[in-house]
Structures are given as C-alpha cells and as structure tokens.
Amino acid sequence: MTSWRDSTPEHVQAQFDGLFGLGLDAALDMLAKRKEFYPFGIEARGGEAVMVGSEPGLGDDPESQAVLDLLYEGGRRRSADMDAVAYVCDVRLREPDSDAVRIDLEHRDGHALQIVTPYRIKRFGRGVESGQMSVSSGVRRIWG
C-alpha cells in the first residue's frame, strides 16, 4: 500500500506535519479544558504558523459548518500570502461510533489531505485519549 508521502514533495510533507501537529495539539487541549471547540484554521505564512478563528457576527452558538465556511472564505482572500493551511473541526464518526478531530490540510502546490483522529474524553476531567488516525485525499477549497 502506498502512502501519501510517496507522491508528496518533502517541503509539503514538512508543512503538513507541522500544521497537523499544531492543529491536533490545540484541539485536544481545548477538548481537555472545555470538552468542545469551534472550528479554527492554522495558516502557514513565510515559515510561521498563524492560528485564525471565524469572523464575528455568527452569534453566540454558531453552527460548525457556518464557521468553516467563513474560515474558507477568509483563507481564499489571504491565499496569496499563504503556503499551506489546516482547518480543524470536531466531527462525529459512524464507524467506529466516536467523536473525532478532523484536520483538512491544503498546500498551494496542489496537495490536499484529510486526517481524522478519533478521541475519547476521559472521565472526571482527566484529559483526552486519542485513537488511530486515518488519512485520505482532501478537498481543495483555497487553491482549487
């Protein structure tokens, strides 16, 4: 079985690895502290990673898809200044029946991945346990 790394340049792999690590760490930290989080983005700009949230105006309890749509729109507006981007959201899986962190990665060179990592919030506020991640082709939303 071939890996996405077999067909992906090393500089793209390095950016995806960095964005994925930052995104998963931030998501798991928010889950441990608040048991939930709103979608957010991380943009790679000139060697730096910048976390972005949605723009105001969605109300107190916005739908996750509405937040993602605003993040995608903002990413398209800033695409000339970015090399890569990660969008991180909380999803519910059917198989296995689990909550998961989904991270959609996209690079200006045309590569896109989706990484889904199941998680379980431990009882009595003892943190979050993550499961086996799965990687698949992603959707190009910014440089598509």
Side-chain angles (χ1 to χ4, degrees):
M1 179 176 201
T2 60
S3 166
W4 66 274
R5 293 184 185 279
D6 296 333
S7 62
T8 306
E10 287 185 24
H11 74 281
V12 175
Q13 292 180 39
Q15 285 187 314
F16 278 2
D17 288 344
L19 290 172
F20 172 77
L22 289 171
L24 186 62
D25 287 349
L28 294 176
D29 186 54
M30 285 184 264
L31 287 166
K33 290 177 181 171
R34 300 183 195 107
K35 312 233 181 320
E36 65 180 356
F37 67 92
Y38 285 107
F40 63 93
I42 305 171
E43 299 174 352
R45 303 181 197 160
E48 292 187 13
V50 178
M51 189 175 287
V52 293
S54 68
E55 299 172 12
L58 291 178
D60 291 338
D61 191 23
E63 293 292 322
S64 290
Q65 189 58 54
V67 175
L68 284 168
D69 290 342
L70 281 177
L71 289 169
Y72 301 150
E73 183 180 313
R76 285 189 288 275
R77 281 195 316 267
R78 294 183 298 277
S79 64
D81 300 325
M82 296 187 301
D83 298 316
V85 66
Y87 294 106
V88 184
C89 62
D90 194 4
V91 297
R92 182 78 189 161
L93 301 177
R94 291 183 194 159
E95 287 294 322
D97 184 24
S98 172
D99 292 315
V101 174
R102 186 184 82 203
I103 302 179
D104 296 314
L105 298 155
E106 186 176 349
H107 196 278
R108 71 168 37 260
D109 290 351
H111 301 276
L113 289 178
Q114 183 177 88
I115 304 175
V116 177
T117 306
Y119 71 85
R120 182 180 67 83
I121 297 175
K122 295 180 182 179
R123 293 178 60 168
F124 308 114
R126 294 184 184 164
V128 179
E129 182 177 276
S130 60
Q132 181 66 38
M133 73 177 84
S134 64
V135 180
S136 60
S137 295
V139 176
R140 296 184 66 209
R141 293 181 175 94
I142 305 304
W143 293 281

